[in-house]
Amino acid sequence: MLYIVSTPIGNLKDITLRAIEVLKSVDLIACEDTRHTKILLDHYQISAHTTSYFQHNRLQKEGYLLGLLKEGKSVALVSDAGTPGVLDPGYQLINLALQNNIEVTVIPGATALVAALVLSGKPAYNFYFAGFLPPKSGSKRNRLKVLAEIGSTIVFYESCHRILATLEAIQEVFLEKEVVLVREVTKKFEEVKRGSAKELYKHFKEHKPRGEFVVII
């Protein structure tokens, strides 16, 4: 069995009892970063074996993990935070397991996009998740122009290093439309800022942006 296990996105208490139970019972935990996952495992006194599985070693590790699953071993897949398979290589292992008739199940839990969306107060009955925007300014603006035509709430992730450039691009495309930035959701310095892209740009120009952002338009 391959278990897709959601882990906390910040606060270590945001984990389900079922997730703890599964992580204690499996033969191996495949982690995006074993050092990061160790913090969670130590907190809940989980002594399971771990191995790294991330974008740059996935081709080497997939054969190993698939072999274990074919032997009847149980493997839990976790990302650094949230639900595996969303913007990480986890979906490739999941598809590989399905192609080889390995049983797969999910242990649902935290995910930053849903937490930020409901916290924003924007319509959540019809939304589009855009992942990360392209880093280059021209491609970023073109992507935003396409998103502007969708006609629903737009949600995407952005790093603190690119948030100012992204706000500039949003201002060009969406003008005075209200934007919500959710930073470090569930963590100690959780922050929600609302305003036009121009207003938010001014704020974070004066206050150095830190952490990871979820952007809602």
Side-chain angles (χ1 to χ4, degrees):
M1 173 79 81
L2 175 63
Y3 294 91
I4 308 165
V5 182
S6 299
T7 54
I9 56 177
N11 192 315
L12 291 180
K13 294 180 181 179
D14 292 334
I15 190 169
T16 67
L17 295 175
R18 185 174 171 222
I20 295 172
E21 183 180 81
V22 167
L23 293 175
K24 285 182 176 180
S25 68
V26 293
D27 296 298
L28 183 69
I29 302 174
C31 317
E32 189 174 1
D33 185 331
T34 55
R35 296 164 299 180
H36 189 93
T37 301
K38 186 177 186 298
I39 297 171
L40 176 68
L41 299 181
D42 287 348
H43 185 80
Y44 287 101
Q45 299 179 330
I46 299 171
S47 57
H49 295 293
T50 62
T51 189
S52 63
Y53 174 76
F54 56 96
Q55 185 61 38
H56 298 297
N57 78 348
R58 68 174 186 84
L59 294 178
Q60 292 81 14
K61 284 296 179 73
E62 282 172 353
Y64 167 65
L65 295 171
L66 184 61
L68 291 177
L69 290 165
K70 286 183 174 181
E71 290 174 8
K73 303 292 186 182
S74 55
V75 175
L77 173 66
V78 301
S79 63
D80 284 348
T83 301
V86 181
L87 297 179
D88 64 53
Y91 79 93
Q92 292 159 323
L93 180 61
I94 294 165
N95 278 310
L96 186 62
L98 294 171
Q99 291 165 13
N100 285 271
N101 298 313
I102 302 296
E103 194 170 1
V104 179
T105 192
V106 65
I107 315 301
T111 179
L113 76 96
V114 172
L117 175 61
V118 297
L119 191 57
S120 75
K122 297 303 179 185
Y125 57 84
N126 181 21
F127 69 92
Y128 182 89
F129 177 56
F132 284 97
L133 299 185
K136 293 184 178 179
S137 58
S139 300
K140 190 193 302 283
R141 282 194 298 273
N142 290 337
R143 179 66 173 143
L144 286 169
K145 288 176 183 177
V146 172
L147 294 175
E149 299 299 320
I150 290 177
S152 65
T153 302
I154 305 299
V155 185
F156 58 88
Y157 294 155
E158 191 54 277
S159 74
C160 58
H161 308 293
R162 294 202 294 262
I163 191 64
L164 289 175
T166 296
L167 286 170
E168 284 185 309
I170 292 172
Q171 182 181 343
E172 290 181 29
V173 176
F174 289 91
L175 303 178
E176 294 302 311
K177 185 177 286 290
E178 185 176 65
V179 179
V180 181
L181 299 184
V182 181
R183 183 179 75 89
E184 299 289 85
V185 64
T186 80
K187 299 179 183 179
K188 181 179 180 180
F189 297 105
E190 176 181 289
E191 181 180 31
V192 181
K193 299 295 292 185
R194 298 175 173 86
S196 67
K198 183 177 181 179
E199 292 168 336
L200 293 173
Y201 179 90
K202 181 180 179 182
H203 172 81
F204 284 106
K205 189 71 173 176
E206 297 171 354
H207 303 83
K208 184 177 180 180
R210 300 180 186 276
E212 300 299 319
F213 289 81
V214 184
V215 183
I216 300 102
I217 306 173

